[in-house]
Structure formats: structure tokens, C-alpha cells
Amino acid sequence: GMKEAAEHLLRLGVADVEQAVRRNASDLRTMLGEVPGVTIRDIGADLAGIVSFTVDDVGPEEVRDRLAASGVTVTVSGASSTLIDMAERALPAVVRASPHYFVSPEDLVAAVVAVAEISRVG
């Protein structure tokens, strides 16, 4: 499996895949940043392809589970994953989305709509 994945990446072009992932992550950050009650938690000058966020008054695990029910896959990263950073920012956990190169703009919009619904309902 790993060999096939590496060969697939090379066929697609590493730079093209990286560009698509970064573009998708940037677009997702922008759209989620416009949703009331959602806070983007990514910091730094060179943001990667993982988007970390929280929803006011809704725990990350609940956000993950409710998004899964809508067909949106995310994970939760607890403080133990980045203990110093998250402790300094008083974040016990965050939701993490990884919009891969094959995720369409429509998929991103659907994910944001699902997050907005969670934020609205609380």
C-alpha cells in the first residue's frame, strides 16, 4: 500500500499536491474564519495543510462526532499532542481538518456549512 501511495504521489507531482493541499487549507481557514463562533487556532508564518479550530460552547469531540454524522471527517488533537503550545494558549483540544488535494471546493463549502450549523445550534 505504501509503495502504491508513493508512486501515485510521484505521478501526480509532489509540488502540485502540496500546492493543492495548501490552497484547500487556506480556503478552509478563510471560510471557517467567517463563521460566527468559530476560532481558527493555527499560528505561524508558514501554515500547513492541517486546519485547527474550535467552536464556542461545543467541545471538539462533539464537533467531530456531529460532523461525522454529516459526512465530514475531522479529528481531535488534545493538549498532549502539542503540550507546551496548547498549555500556553489554554487549549485542552482542537478540531483538526486535513483538506487533501482531492477535496473539491464544494466539499469545503459543505464542511463549512456543517460547522456553521453546529456553531449556530451550539
PDB file of all heavy atoms in Angstrom, residues 1-6:
ATOM      1  N   GLY A   1       0.797  -1.190   0.000  1.00  0.00           N
ATOM      2  CA  GLY A   1       0.000   0.000   0.000  1.00  0.00           C
ATOM      3  C   GLY A   1       0.847   1.265   0.000  1.00  0.00           C
ATOM      4  O   GLY A   1       0.547   2.216  -0.705  1.00  0.00           O
ATOM      5  N   MET A   2       1.868   1.294   0.829  1.00  0.00           N
ATOM      6  CA  MET A   2       2.715   2.486   0.940  1.00  0.00           C
ATOM      7  C   MET A   2       3.452   2.738  -0.372  1.00  0.00           C
ATOM      8  O   MET A   2       3.556   3.878  -0.816  1.00  0.00           O
ATOM      9  CB  MET A   2       3.710   2.308   2.087  1.00  0.00           C
ATOM     10  CG  MET A   2       4.584   3.505   2.295  1.00  0.00           C
ATOM     11  SD  MET A   2       3.588   4.893   2.865  1.00  0.00           S
ATOM     12  CE  MET A   2       4.721   5.636   3.967  1.00  0.00           C
ATOM     13  N   LYS A   3       3.932   1.667  -1.005  1.00  0.00           N
ATOM     14  CA  LYS A   3       4.629   1.821  -2.287  1.00  0.00           C
ATOM     15  C   LYS A   3       3.697   2.408  -3.334  1.00  0.00           C
ATOM     16  O   LYS A   3       4.063   3.336  -4.060  1.00  0.00           O
ATOM     17  CB  LYS A   3       5.164   0.464  -2.747  1.00  0.00           C
ATOM     18  CG  LYS A   3       5.898   0.530  -4.072  1.00  0.00           C
ATOM     19  CD  LYS A   3       6.418  -0.845  -4.472  1.00  0.00           C
ATOM     20  CE  LYS A   3       7.149  -0.749  -5.771  1.00  0.00           C
ATOM     21  NZ  LYS A   3       6.448  -1.339  -6.879  1.00  0.00           N
ATOM     22  N   GLU A   4       2.461   1.907  -3.405  1.00  0.00           N
ATOM     23  CA  GLU A   4       1.490   2.414  -4.376  1.00  0.00           C
ATOM     24  C   GLU A   4       1.170   3.889  -4.099  1.00  0.00           C
ATOM     25  O   GLU A   4       1.053   4.689  -5.023  1.00  0.00           O
ATOM     26  CB  GLU A   4       0.207   1.581  -4.353  1.00  0.00           C
ATOM     27  CG  GLU A   4      -0.821   2.041  -5.356  1.00  0.00           C
ATOM     28  CD  GLU A   4      -0.356   2.035  -6.809  1.00  0.00           C
ATOM     29  OE1 GLU A   4       0.455   1.175  -7.199  1.00  0.00           O
ATOM     30  OE2 GLU A   4      -0.803   2.912  -7.570  1.00  0.00           O
ATOM     31  N   ALA A   5       1.043   4.253  -2.807  1.00  0.00           N
ATOM     32  CA  ALA A   5       0.757   5.646  -2.450  1.00  0.00           C
ATOM     33  C   ALA A   5       1.900   6.560  -2.883  1.00  0.00           C
ATOM     34  O   ALA A   5       1.671   7.648  -3.418  1.00  0.00           O
ATOM     35  CB  ALA A   5       0.511   5.760  -0.945  1.00  0.00           C
ATOM     36  N   ALA A   6       3.141   6.114  -2.657  1.00  0.00           N
ATOM     37  CA  ALA A   6       4.301   6.918  -3.053  1.00  0.00           C
ATOM     38  C   ALA A   6       4.364   7.067  -4.568  1.00  0.00           C
ATOM     39  O   ALA A   6       4.628   8.162  -5.089  1.00  0.00           O
ATOM     40  CB  ALA A   6       5.580   6.293  -2.520  1.00  0.00           C
TER      41      ALA A   6
END
